[in-house]
Amino acid sequence: MNKLKNKLTLITGATSGIGESCVRYFAEENSDFLLLARNMPKLLELQQEMQQKGLSVHVAVVDVRDKQAVKEMFEGLPEKFQKPDIIINSAGLASGFDFIQDSALDDIDVMIDTNVKGLLYITKQFIGGMMEKRQGHIINLGSIAGHDVYPKGAVYCASKFAVNALSKGFRFDLLEYGIRITSVDPGMVETNFSMIRFKGDAERAGNVYKGVTPLTADDIADAILYAATRAPHVNINEIVMTPLAQANVTTIIRK
Ligand code: 8X3
């Protein structure tokens, strides 16, 4: 109930999918929030909902791909929101599903820029406060696509392999500062992920989850909250989770 009282949690991609579920799960433990996303109306709705619970919430529109915008957003924050205790790097996407020879350069850019560089820009901007306090927790949204590659997934998988490497690298580099690092790596989760990957093609998106009970955004938020609420001497390094019907990226039993 109060495991995160007076803690500040920064969430990117806070207005949809796993990010939004994290807001609700972390609110149950009374965390305060810095919520970042590109959709201001939705941010304001979430802010109001969380403030009604008595939580302190600041929201800001930012595109994590834009390092100057990330810097300006940080500089415009009230001081108490500049030093989060927990960062959840949830913003990320797959764009397109094509063989590498057919894939659009814009799709490549948006995935690498958001999933890899965006995660780095946010982390780099806020890491100083954690180093000063010699405590904090960075939770990166990885994927089973960061463990295995599948056809037509080269770039998305590369971006999630990068997240995997970054989480491991942060762990080494920040060890002496007492900062926890966790990678949460889901398989099939039913969010707007497939609608975005297939650019609004509802039939193709629906087929991804056909005959399977997929994970939900809440399942992932629950695991993230677990990692964030362990005793201070515990670091959950990695959580890899799939639906029961999915063994790896390509092996799925459909009924
Ligand atoms: C999403 C999981 O298997 O669709 O990160 O790439 S998968």
Side-chain angles (χ1 to χ4, degrees), residues 17-18 21 25 141-145 184-194 205 208-224 239-249 252-254:
I18 293 167
S21 282
Y25 271 68
L141 244 302
S143 167
I144 58 168
V184 177
D185 301 354
M188 189 186 282
V189 186
E190 189 161 20
T191 58
N192 61 359
F193 177 86
S194 292
V208 172
Y209 311 110
K210 219 175 214 158
V212 177
T213 304
L215 298 173
T216 65
D218 284 355
D219 293 325
I220 315 308
D222 184 43
I224 292 173
I239 299 177
V240 182
M241 53 197 295
T242 60
L244 183 57
Q246 182 179 32
N248 69 7
V249 287
I252 299 161
I253 289 291
R254 297 185 192 270

mmCIF file of all heavy atoms in Angstrom, residues 17-18 21 25 141-145 184-194 205 208-224 239-249 252-254:
data_model
loop_
_atom_site.group_PDB
_atom_site.id
_atom_site.type_symbol
_atom_site.label_atom_id
_atom_site.label_comp_id
_atom_site.label_asym_id
_atom_site.label_seq_id
_atom_site.Cartn_x
_atom_site.Cartn_y
_atom_site.Cartn_z
ATOM 1 N N GLY A 17 -0.571 1.477 -23.094
ATOM 2 C CA GLY A 17 0.029 0.152 -22.940
ATOM 3 C C GLY A 17 0.660 -0.079 -21.573
ATOM 4 O O GLY A 17 0.071 0.221 -20.533
ATOM 5 N N ILE A 18 1.884 -0.604 -21.602
ATOM 6 C CA ILE A 18 2.566 -0.993 -20.369
ATOM 7 C C ILE A 18 2.860 0.239 -19.510
ATOM 8 O O ILE A 18 2.726 0.199 -18.286
ATOM 9 C CB ILE A 18 3.853 -1.773 -20.720
ATOM 10 C CG1 ILE A 18 3.475 -3.117 -21.380
ATOM 11 C CG2 ILE A 18 4.713 -2.006 -19.479
ATOM 12 C CD1 ILE A 18 4.632 -3.848 -22.051
ATOM 13 N N SER A 21 -0.303 1.157 -17.638
ATOM 14 C CA SER A 21 -0.575 0.183 -16.565
ATOM 15 C C SER A 21 0.370 0.401 -15.386
ATOM 16 O O SER A 21 -0.036 0.256 -14.224
ATOM 17 C CB SER A 21 -0.396 -1.252 -17.069
ATOM 18 O OG SER A 21 -1.509 -1.639 -17.812
ATOM 19 N N TYR A 25 -0.503 0.671 -11.427
ATOM 20 C CA TYR A 25 0.077 -0.262 -10.441
ATOM 21 C C TYR A 25 0.928 0.486 -9.408
ATOM 22 O O TYR A 25 0.850 0.203 -8.213
ATOM 23 C CB TYR A 25 0.895 -1.360 -11.145
ATOM 24 C CG TYR A 25 0.045 -2.556 -11.509
ATOM 25 C CD1 TYR A 25 -0.937 -2.466 -12.492
ATOM 26 C CD2 TYR A 25 0.188 -3.773 -10.851
ATOM 27 C CE1 TYR A 25 -1.742 -3.549 -12.812
ATOM 28 C CE2 TYR A 25 -0.613 -4.863 -11.166
ATOM 29 C CZ TYR A 25 -1.570 -4.744 -12.149
ATOM 30 O OH TYR A 25 -2.367 -5.821 -12.444
ATOM 31 N N LEU A 141 12.319 -1.554 -20.501
ATOM 32 C CA LEU A 141 11.436 -2.493 -21.179
ATOM 33 C C LEU A 141 12.181 -3.146 -22.329
ATOM 34 O O LEU A 141 12.410 -2.493 -23.357
ATOM 35 C CB LEU A 141 10.195 -1.734 -21.686
ATOM 36 C CG LEU A 141 8.875 -2.151 -21.061
ATOM 37 C CD1 LEU A 141 8.585 -3.630 -21.277
ATOM 38 C CD2 LEU A 141 8.895 -1.870 -19.556
ATOM 39 N N GLY A 142 12.591 -4.365 -22.115
ATOM 40 C CA GLY A 142 13.212 -5.135 -23.185
ATOM 41 C C GLY A 142 12.147 -5.949 -23.884
ATOM 42 O O GLY A 142 10.982 -5.533 -23.999
ATOM 43 N N SER A 143 12.534 -7.137 -24.318
ATOM 44 C CA SER A 143 11.592 -8.011 -25.028
ATOM 45 C C SER A 143 12.278 -9.364 -25.198
ATOM 46 O O SER A 143 13.521 -9.447 -25.183
ATOM 47 C CB SER A 143 11.284 -7.424 -26.406
ATOM 48 O OG SER A 143 10.629 -8.371 -27.225
ATOM 49 N N ILE A 144 11.458 -10.411 -25.443
ATOM 50 C CA ILE A 144 12.112 -11.670 -25.843
ATOM 51 C C ILE A 144 12.774 -11.492 -27.209
ATOM 52 O O ILE A 144 13.645 -12.270 -27.578
ATOM 53 C CB ILE A 144 11.144 -12.879 -25.825
ATOM 54 C CG1 ILE A 144 9.946 -12.665 -26.751
ATOM 55 C CG2 ILE A 144 10.696 -13.193 -24.423
ATOM 56 C CD1 ILE A 144 9.140 -13.948 -26.981
ATOM 57 N N ALA A 145 12.382 -10.447 -27.927
ATOM 58 C CA ALA A 145 13.055 -10.098 -29.196
ATOM 59 C C ALA A 145 14.473 -9.577 -28.947
ATOM 60 O O ALA A 145 15.213 -9.336 -29.894
ATOM 61 C CB ALA A 145 12.236 -9.066 -29.965
ATOM 62 N N VAL A 184 12.951 -5.856 -18.064
ATOM 63 C CA VAL A 184 11.741 -6.672 -18.087
ATOM 64 C C VAL A 184 11.450 -6.993 -19.552
ATOM 65 O O VAL A 184 11.252 -6.085 -20.365
ATOM 66 C CB VAL A 184 10.563 -5.944 -17.412
ATOM 67 C CG1 VAL A 184 9.285 -6.776 -17.518
ATOM 68 C CG2 VAL A 184 10.901 -5.685 -15.940
ATOM 69 N N ASP A 185 11.475 -8.283 -19.881
ATOM 70 C CA ASP A 185 11.511 -8.722 -21.281
ATOM 71 C C ASP A 185 10.307 -9.601 -21.618
ATOM 72 O O ASP A 185 10.378 -10.835 -21.525
ATOM 73 C CB ASP A 185 12.807 -9.520 -21.532
ATOM 74 C CG ASP A 185 14.068 -8.702 -21.239
ATOM 75 O OD1 ASP A 185 13.948 -7.499 -20.956
ATOM 76 O OD2 ASP A 185 15.162 -9.287 -21.312
ATOM 77 N N PRO A 186 9.214 -8.994 -22.042
ATOM 78 C CA PRO A 186 8.024 -9.794 -22.333
ATOM 79 C C PRO A 186 8.014 -10.381 -23.739
ATOM 80 O O PRO A 186 8.628 -9.834 -24.657
ATOM 81 C CB PRO A 186 6.867 -8.794 -22.194
ATOM 82 C CG PRO A 186 7.469 -7.463 -21.941
ATOM 83 C CD PRO A 186 8.944 -7.564 -22.143
ATOM 84 N N GLY A 187 7.235 -11.451 -23.881
ATOM 85 C CA GLY A 187 6.884 -11.960 -25.200
ATOM 86 C C GLY A 187 5.619 -11.268 -25.659
ATOM 87 O O GLY A 187 5.502 -10.041 -25.582
ATOM 88 N N MET A 188 4.647 -12.069 -26.083
ATOM 89 C CA MET A 188 3.432 -11.518 -26.681
ATOM 90 C C MET A 188 2.542 -10.816 -25.638
ATOM 91 O O MET A 188 2.045 -11.445 -24.712
ATOM 92 C CB MET A 188 2.675 -12.701 -27.289
ATOM 93 C CG MET A 188 1.510 -12.330 -28.130
ATOM 94 S SD MET A 188 0.654 -13.838 -28.609
ATOM 95 C CE MET A 188 1.710 -14.420 -29.897
ATOM 96 N N VAL A 189 2.396 -9.524 -25.800
ATOM 97 C CA VAL A 189 1.546 -8.734 -24.893
ATOM 98 C C VAL A 189 0.492 -8.042 -25.747
ATOM 99 O O VAL A 189 0.835 -7.407 -26.750
ATOM 100 C CB VAL A 189 2.347 -7.619 -24.175
ATOM 101 C CG1 VAL A 189 1.466 -6.920 -23.129
ATOM 102 C CG2 VAL A 189 3.609 -8.156 -23.539
ATOM 103 N N GLU A 190 -0.755 -8.146 -25.370
ATOM 104 C CA GLU A 190 -1.786 -7.485 -26.178
ATOM 105 C C GLU A 190 -1.955 -6.029 -25.743
ATOM 106 O O GLU A 190 -2.535 -5.730 -24.712
ATOM 107 C CB GLU A 190 -3.129 -8.219 -26.102
ATOM 108 C CG GLU A 190 -4.107 -7.631 -27.121
ATOM 109 C CD GLU A 190 -5.273 -8.532 -27.442
ATOM 110 O OE1 GLU A 190 -5.564 -9.441 -26.631
ATOM 111 O OE2 GLU A 190 -5.906 -8.319 -28.501
ATOM 112 N N THR A 191 -1.372 -5.150 -26.532
ATOM 113 C CA THR A 191 -1.524 -3.696 -26.352
ATOM 114 C C THR A 191 -1.755 -3.154 -27.759
ATOM 115 O O THR A 191 -2.105 -3.914 -28.654
ATOM 116 C CB THR A 191 -0.228 -3.081 -25.773
ATOM 117 O OG1 THR A 191 0.839 -3.384 -26.667
ATOM 118 C CG2 THR A 191 0.099 -3.612 -24.390
ATOM 119 N N ASN A 192 -1.477 -1.880 -27.967
ATOM 120 C CA ASN A 192 -1.575 -1.377 -29.353
ATOM 121 C C ASN A 192 -0.286 -1.664 -30.136
ATOM 122 O O ASN A 192 -0.102 -1.159 -31.244
ATOM 123 C CB ASN A 192 -1.913 0.116 -29.369
ATOM 124 C CG ASN A 192 -0.850 0.945 -28.674
ATOM 125 O OD1 ASN A 192 0.135 0.385 -28.165
ATOM 126 N ND2 ASN A 192 -1.014 2.245 -28.638
ATOM 127 N N PHE A 193 0.607 -2.499 -29.553
ATOM 128 C CA PHE A 193 1.893 -2.837 -30.180
ATOM 129 C C PHE A 193 1.724 -3.316 -31.630
ATOM 130 O O PHE A 193 2.390 -2.819 -32.547
ATOM 131 C CB PHE A 193 2.579 -3.926 -29.333
ATOM 132 C CG PHE A 193 3.881 -4.439 -29.892
ATOM 133 C CD1 PHE A 193 5.077 -3.793 -29.630
ATOM 134 C CD2 PHE A 193 3.909 -5.592 -30.691
ATOM 135 C CE1 PHE A 193 6.283 -4.275 -30.150
ATOM 136 C CE2 PHE A 193 5.110 -6.069 -31.210
ATOM 137 C CZ PHE A 193 6.294 -5.400 -30.934
ATOM 138 N N SER A 194 0.825 -4.295 -31.823
ATOM 139 C CA SER A 194 0.701 -4.874 -33.176
ATOM 140 C C SER A 194 -0.008 -3.913 -34.130
ATOM 141 O O SER A 194 0.293 -3.888 -35.326
ATOM 142 C CB SER A 194 -0.032 -6.217 -33.118
ATOM 143 O OG SER A 194 0.795 -7.152 -32.459
ATOM 144 N N ALA A 205 -3.132 -7.266 -37.077
ATOM 145 C CA ALA A 205 -2.820 -7.112 -35.645
ATOM 146 C C ALA A 205 -3.570 -8.168 -34.831
ATOM 147 O O ALA A 205 -3.003 -8.805 -33.934
ATOM 148 C CB ALA A 205 -3.173 -5.708 -35.178
ATOM 149 N N VAL A 208 -2.182 -11.794 -34.693
ATOM 150 C CA VAL A 208 -1.028 -12.058 -33.819
ATOM 151 C C VAL A 208 -1.488 -12.783 -32.553
ATOM 152 O O VAL A 208 -0.807 -13.671 -32.044
ATOM 153 C CB VAL A 208 -0.316 -10.731 -33.446
ATOM 154 C CG1 VAL A 208 0.764 -10.956 -32.397
ATOM 155 C CG2 VAL A 208 0.269 -10.064 -34.689
ATOM 156 N N TYR A 209 -2.658 -12.402 -32.062
ATOM 157 C CA TYR A 209 -3.118 -12.919 -30.758
ATOM 158 C C TYR A 209 -4.164 -14.038 -30.904
ATOM 159 O O TYR A 209 -4.705 -14.514 -29.913
ATOM 160 C CB TYR A 209 -3.704 -11.763 -29.924
ATOM 161 C CG TYR A 209 -2.783 -10.562 -29.876
ATOM 162 C CD1 TYR A 209 -3.099 -9.377 -30.547
ATOM 163 C CD2 TYR A 209 -1.572 -10.620 -29.190
ATOM 164 C CE1 TYR A 209 -2.238 -8.282 -30.526
ATOM 165 C CE2 TYR A 209 -0.707 -9.539 -29.173
ATOM 166 C CZ TYR A 209 -1.047 -8.370 -29.840
ATOM 167 O OH TYR A 209 -0.192 -7.300 -29.822
ATOM 168 N N LYS A 210 -4.429 -14.431 -32.158
ATOM 169 C CA LYS A 210 -5.476 -15.430 -32.412
ATOM 170 C C LYS A 210 -5.149 -16.771 -31.771
ATOM 171 O O LYS A 210 -4.045 -17.305 -31.951
ATOM 172 C CB LYS A 210 -5.640 -15.616 -33.921
ATOM 173 C CG LYS A 210 -7.079 -15.782 -34.299
ATOM 174 C CD LYS A 210 -7.295 -15.840 -35.775
ATOM 175 C CE LYS A 210 -8.624 -15.176 -36.096
ATOM 176 N NZ LYS A 210 -8.694 -14.734 -37.451
ATOM 177 N N GLY A 211 -6.105 -17.305 -31.019
ATOM 178 C CA GLY A 211 -5.934 -18.646 -30.458
ATOM 179 C C GLY A 211 -4.988 -18.722 -29.273
ATOM 180 O O GLY A 211 -4.609 -19.805 -28.834
ATOM 181 N N VAL A 212 -4.589 -17.573 -28.765
ATOM 182 C CA VAL A 212 -3.641 -17.526 -27.642
ATOM 183 C C VAL A 212 -4.208 -16.579 -26.589
ATOM 184 O O VAL A 212 -4.846 -15.591 -26.934
ATOM 185 C CB VAL A 212 -2.274 -16.959 -28.109
ATOM 186 C CG1 VAL A 212 -1.303 -16.834 -26.955
ATOM 187 C CG2 VAL A 212 -1.677 -17.813 -29.206
ATOM 188 N N THR A 213 -3.991 -16.890 -25.337
ATOM 189 C CA THR A 213 -4.276 -15.871 -24.312
ATOM 190 C C THR A 213 -2.972 -15.119 -24.081
ATOM 191 O O THR A 213 -2.044 -15.643 -23.455
ATOM 192 C CB THR A 213 -4.748 -16.522 -22.997
ATOM 193 O OG1 THR A 213 -5.883 -17.335 -23.284
ATOM 194 C CG2 THR A 213 -5.128 -15.462 -21.969
ATOM 195 N N PRO A 214 -2.868 -13.891 -24.636
ATOM 196 C CA PRO A 214 -1.594 -13.166 -24.529
ATOM 197 C C PRO A 214 -1.418 -12.575 -23.135
ATOM 198 O O PRO A 214 -2.374 -12.519 -22.343
ATOM 199 C CB PRO A 214 -1.731 -12.051 -25.565
ATOM 200 C CG PRO A 214 -3.203 -11.827 -25.687
ATOM 201 C CD PRO A 214 -3.895 -13.107 -25.329
ATOM 202 N N LEU A 215 -0.214 -12.132 -22.860
ATOM 203 C CA LEU A 215 0.000 -11.324 -21.656
ATOM 204 C C LEU A 215 -0.747 -10.010 -21.835
ATOM 205 O O LEU A 215 -1.016 -9.573 -22.958
ATOM 206 C CB LEU A 215 1.494 -11.032 -21.481
ATOM 207 C CG LEU A 215 2.421 -12.228 -21.275
ATOM 208 C CD1 LEU A 215 3.883 -11.769 -21.304
ATOM 209 C CD2 LEU A 215 2.116 -12.927 -19.957
ATOM 210 N N THR A 216 -1.064 -9.377 -20.717
ATOM 211 C CA THR A 216 -1.662 -8.043 -20.771
ATOM 212 C C THR A 216 -0.642 -7.024 -20.244
ATOM 213 O O THR A 216 0.336 -7.401 -19.578
ATOM 214 C CB THR A 216 -2.916 -7.967 -19.877
ATOM 215 O OG1 THR A 216 -2.483 -8.147 -18.515
ATOM 216 C CG2 THR A 216 -3.938 -9.030 -20.241
ATOM 217 N N ALA A 217 -0.931 -5.773 -20.527
ATOM 218 C CA ALA A 217 -0.067 -4.705 -20.006
ATOM 219 C C ALA A 217 -0.008 -4.781 -18.479
ATOM 220 O O ALA A 217 1.038 -4.526 -17.867
ATOM 221 C CB ALA A 217 -0.588 -3.349 -20.473
ATOM 222 N N ASP A 218 -1.125 -5.168 -17.872
ATOM 223 C CA ASP A 218 -1.152 -5.284 -16.403
ATOM 224 C C ASP A 218 -0.215 -6.388 -15.902
ATOM 225 O O ASP A 218 0.404 -6.251 -14.841
ATOM 226 C CB ASP A 218 -2.579 -5.573 -15.905
ATOM 227 C CG ASP A 218 -3.453 -4.326 -15.929
ATOM 228 O OD1 ASP A 218 -2.936 -3.229 -16.244
ATOM 229 O OD2 ASP A 218 -4.662 -4.452 -15.647
ATOM 230 N N ASP A 219 -0.118 -7.492 -16.654
ATOM 231 C CA ASP A 219 0.818 -8.562 -16.251
ATOM 232 C C ASP A 219 2.240 -8.012 -16.179
ATOM 233 O O ASP A 219 3.019 -8.356 -15.276
ATOM 234 C CB ASP A 219 0.812 -9.718 -17.268
ATOM 235 C CG ASP A 219 -0.510 -10.468 -17.304
ATOM 236 O OD1 ASP A 219 -1.152 -10.607 -16.244
ATOM 237 O OD2 ASP A 219 -0.894 -10.924 -18.403
ATOM 238 N N ILE A 220 2.579 -7.162 -17.126
ATOM 239 C CA ILE A 220 3.953 -6.632 -17.169
ATOM 240 C C ILE A 220 4.145 -5.588 -16.054
ATOM 241 O O ILE A 220 5.176 -5.577 -15.373
ATOM 242 C CB ILE A 220 4.273 -5.988 -18.555
ATOM 243 C CG1 ILE A 220 3.798 -6.879 -19.699
ATOM 244 C CG2 ILE A 220 5.769 -5.677 -18.658
ATOM 245 C CD1 ILE A 220 4.260 -8.310 -19.655
ATOM 246 N N ALA A 221 3.134 -4.743 -15.871
ATOM 247 C CA ALA A 221 3.226 -3.729 -14.810
ATOM 248 C C ALA A 221 3.387 -4.400 -13.444
ATOM 249 O O ALA A 221 4.130 -3.924 -12.576
ATOM 250 C CB ALA A 221 1.989 -2.838 -14.837
ATOM 251 N N ASP A 222 2.696 -5.511 -13.268
ATOM 252 C CA ASP A 222 2.771 -6.273 -12.017
ATOM 253 C C ASP A 222 4.219 -6.746 -11.774
ATOM 254 O O ASP A 222 4.747 -6.649 -10.651
ATOM 255 C CB ASP A 222 1.816 -7.467 -12.165
ATOM 256 C CG ASP A 222 1.700 -8.297 -10.916
ATOM 257 O OD1 ASP A 222 1.608 -7.722 -9.827
ATOM 258 O OD2 ASP A 222 1.705 -9.545 -11.040
ATOM 259 N N ALA A 223 4.868 -7.241 -12.840
ATOM 260 C CA ALA A 223 6.265 -7.709 -12.718
ATOM 261 C C ALA A 223 7.207 -6.523 -12.448
ATOM 262 O O ALA A 223 8.154 -6.631 -11.668
ATOM 263 C CB ALA A 223 6.680 -8.434 -13.993
ATOM 264 N N ILE A 224 6.935 -5.406 -13.099
ATOM 265 C CA ILE A 224 7.782 -4.217 -12.907
ATOM 266 C C ILE A 224 7.651 -3.722 -11.458
ATOM 267 O O ILE A 224 8.646 -3.385 -10.805
ATOM 268 C CB ILE A 224 7.398 -3.119 -13.929
ATOM 269 C CG1 ILE A 224 7.785 -3.580 -15.348
ATOM 270 C CG2 ILE A 224 8.054 -1.788 -13.586
ATOM 271 C CD1 ILE A 224 7.311 -2.676 -16.464
ATOM 272 N N ILE A 239 13.720 -10.023 -15.974
ATOM 273 C CA ILE A 239 12.497 -10.839 -15.912
ATOM 274 C C ILE A 239 12.091 -11.124 -17.355
ATOM 275 O O ILE A 239 11.798 -10.203 -18.116
ATOM 276 C CB ILE A 239 11.349 -10.098 -15.187
ATOM 277 C CG1 ILE A 239 11.739 -9.784 -13.738
ATOM 278 C CG2 ILE A 239 10.057 -10.918 -15.245
ATOM 279 C CD1 ILE A 239 10.697 -8.981 -12.966
ATOM 280 N N VAL A 240 12.121 -12.391 -17.735
ATOM 281 C CA VAL A 240 11.690 -12.788 -19.081
ATOM 282 C C VAL A 240 10.342 -13.469 -18.919
ATOM 283 O O VAL A 240 10.219 -14.416 -18.140
ATOM 284 C CB VAL A 240 12.704 -13.753 -19.725
ATOM 285 C CG1 VAL A 240 12.263 -14.126 -21.136
ATOM 286 C CG2 VAL A 240 14.102 -13.134 -19.744
ATOM 287 N N MET A 241 9.315 -12.975 -19.594
ATOM 288 C CA MET A 241 7.986 -13.555 -19.397
ATOM 289 C C MET A 241 7.234 -13.690 -20.716
ATOM 290 O O MET A 241 7.305 -12.811 -21.575
ATOM 291 C CB MET A 241 7.185 -12.748 -18.371
ATOM 292 C CG MET A 241 7.085 -11.278 -18.625
ATOM 293 S SD MET A 241 6.564 -10.317 -17.169
ATOM 294 C CE MET A 241 4.906 -10.914 -16.885
ATOM 295 N N THR A 242 6.537 -14.796 -20.863
ATOM 296 C CA THR A 242 5.743 -15.039 -22.064
ATOM 297 C C THR A 242 4.375 -15.558 -21.632
ATOM 298 O O THR A 242 4.218 -16.028 -20.500
ATOM 299 C CB THR A 242 6.393 -16.120 -22.960
ATOM 300 O OG1 THR A 242 6.488 -17.320 -22.193
ATOM 301 C CG2 THR A 242 7.772 -15.722 -23.453
ATOM 302 N N PRO A 243 3.405 -15.541 -22.547
ATOM 303 C CA PRO A 243 2.178 -16.273 -22.252
ATOM 304 C C PRO A 243 2.518 -17.754 -22.102
ATOM 305 O O PRO A 243 3.533 -18.215 -22.658
ATOM 306 C CB PRO A 243 1.318 -16.062 -23.503
ATOM 307 C CG PRO A 243 1.949 -14.969 -24.272
ATOM 308 C CD PRO A 243 3.390 -14.906 -23.875
ATOM 309 N N LEU A 244 1.667 -18.482 -21.407
ATOM 310 C CA LEU A 244 1.903 -19.919 -21.218
ATOM 311 C C LEU A 244 2.047 -20.616 -22.577
ATOM 312 O O LEU A 244 2.833 -21.556 -22.723
ATOM 313 C CB LEU A 244 0.730 -20.517 -20.419
ATOM 314 C CG LEU A 244 0.842 -21.983 -20.058
ATOM 315 C CD1 LEU A 244 2.107 -22.271 -19.265
ATOM 316 C CD2 LEU A 244 -0.390 -22.420 -19.271
ATOM 317 N N ALA A 245 1.321 -20.136 -23.572
ATOM 318 C CA ALA A 245 1.306 -20.798 -24.890
ATOM 319 C C ALA A 245 2.495 -20.418 -25.772
ATOM 320 O O ALA A 245 2.577 -20.861 -26.915
ATOM 321 C CB ALA A 245 0.012 -20.450 -25.617
ATOM 322 N N GLN A 246 3.409 -19.581 -25.279
ATOM 323 C CA GLN A 246 4.543 -19.140 -26.102
ATOM 324 C C GLN A 246 5.855 -19.570 -25.449
ATOM 325 O O GLN A 246 6.172 -19.157 -24.333
ATOM 326 C CB GLN A 246 4.523 -17.607 -26.244
ATOM 327 C CG GLN A 246 5.652 -17.082 -27.117
ATOM 328 C CD GLN A 246 5.623 -15.570 -27.290
ATOM 329 O OE1 GLN A 246 5.211 -14.840 -26.389
ATOM 330 N NE2 GLN A 246 6.071 -15.101 -28.449
ATOM 331 N N ALA A 247 6.651 -20.391 -26.186
ATOM 332 C CA ALA A 247 7.931 -20.853 -25.637
ATOM 333 C C ALA A 247 9.063 -19.893 -25.969
ATOM 334 O O ALA A 247 9.972 -19.687 -25.182
ATOM 335 C CB ALA A 247 8.266 -22.242 -26.156
ATOM 336 N N ASN A 248 9.009 -19.328 -27.179
ATOM 337 C CA ASN A 248 9.999 -18.310 -27.563
ATOM 338 C C ASN A 248 9.385 -17.466 -28.685
ATOM 339 O O ASN A 248 8.180 -17.579 -28.957
ATOM 340 C CB ASN A 248 11.354 -18.931 -27.939
ATOM 341 C CG ASN A 248 11.307 -19.708 -29.240
ATOM 342 O OD1 ASN A 248 10.306 -19.696 -29.953
ATOM 343 N ND2 ASN A 248 12.372 -20.384 -29.564
ATOM 344 N N VAL A 249 10.188 -16.658 -29.351
ATOM 345 C CA VAL A 249 9.590 -15.724 -30.321
ATOM 346 C C VAL A 249 8.827 -16.423 -31.445
ATOM 347 O O VAL A 249 7.887 -15.865 -32.001
ATOM 348 C CB VAL A 249 10.649 -14.774 -30.935
ATOM 349 C CG1 VAL A 249 11.096 -13.731 -29.960
ATOM 350 C CG2 VAL A 249 11.833 -15.521 -31.505
ATOM 351 N N ILE A 252 4.729 -21.030 -30.742
ATOM 352 C CA ILE A 252 3.483 -20.658 -30.072
ATOM 353 C C ILE A 252 2.442 -21.729 -30.377
ATOM 354 O O ILE A 252 2.338 -22.178 -31.526
ATOM 355 C CB ILE A 252 2.985 -19.288 -30.609
ATOM 356 C CG1 ILE A 252 4.026 -18.190 -30.321
ATOM 357 C CG2 ILE A 252 1.626 -18.916 -30.018
ATOM 358 C CD1 ILE A 252 3.868 -16.962 -31.163
ATOM 359 N N ILE A 253 1.709 -22.150 -29.355
ATOM 360 C CA ILE A 253 0.617 -23.112 -29.573
ATOM 361 C C ILE A 253 -0.684 -22.319 -29.654
ATOM 362 O O ILE A 253 -1.035 -21.607 -28.713
ATOM 363 C CB ILE A 253 0.539 -24.116 -28.396
ATOM 364 C CG1 ILE A 253 1.726 -25.070 -28.421
ATOM 365 C CG2 ILE A 253 -0.766 -24.903 -28.421
ATOM 366 C CD1 ILE A 253 1.729 -26.052 -29.570
ATOM 367 N N ARG A 254 -1.384 -22.449 -30.774
ATOM 368 C CA ARG A 254 -2.662 -21.729 -30.921
ATOM 369 C C ARG A 254 -3.802 -22.746 -30.895
ATOM 370 O O ARG A 254 -3.712 -23.792 -31.514
ATOM 371 C CB ARG A 254 -2.689 -20.947 -32.243
ATOM 372 C CG ARG A 254 -1.625 -19.881 -32.288
ATOM 373 C CD ARG A 254 -1.719 -19.029 -33.546
ATOM 374 N NE ARG A 254 -0.524 -18.205 -33.692
ATOM 375 C CZ ARG A 254 -0.383 -16.979 -33.194
ATOM 376 N NH1 ARG A 254 -1.366 -16.410 -32.544
ATOM 377 N NH2 ARG A 254 0.756 -16.317 -33.349
#
